Amino acid sequence: MAGLLVIVTLGATVIVGTTIGRRYSVAPPVLLIVMGGILALIPQLSDIRLPASAVLLIFLPGILYWESLNTSLREIRANIRVILLSAIGLVI
């Protein structure tokens, strides 16, 4: 039950953080880091650990889907060299 509570809390935090970030023109990643730090100060949530596989299966698909809808093809074409070099270098 604790795992479900953590997942719901993190999901709600992401939704609230992106909504607030859009409304007040704050970069959502910065706001999410601050909100995650605030969540870490709550005693009930500070000692819970999530396995990396759970994060990859639950949060990563949503993030990738959202970014695929909001990424400009023009920006990708302009930065294709850097993207490919980073991708190849990080895999190697």
Side-chain angles (χ1 to χ4, degrees), residues 6-59:
V6 170
I7 291 170
V8 169
T9 304
L10 290 176
T13 303
V14 169
I15 291 170
V16 169
T18 53
T19 304
I20 291 172
R22 238 182 274 131
R23 179 170 289 158
Y24 295 110
S25 299
V26 177
V30 173
L31 193 59
L32 291 175
I33 289 172
V34 170
M35 292 179 74
I38 292 170
L39 282 179
L41 296 175
I42 298 173
Q44 293 85 2
L45 296 176
S46 64
D47 60 343
I48 296 175
R49 305 268 185 240
L50 270 178
S53 60
V55 174
L56 289 175
L57 288 174
I58 295 169
F59 295 109

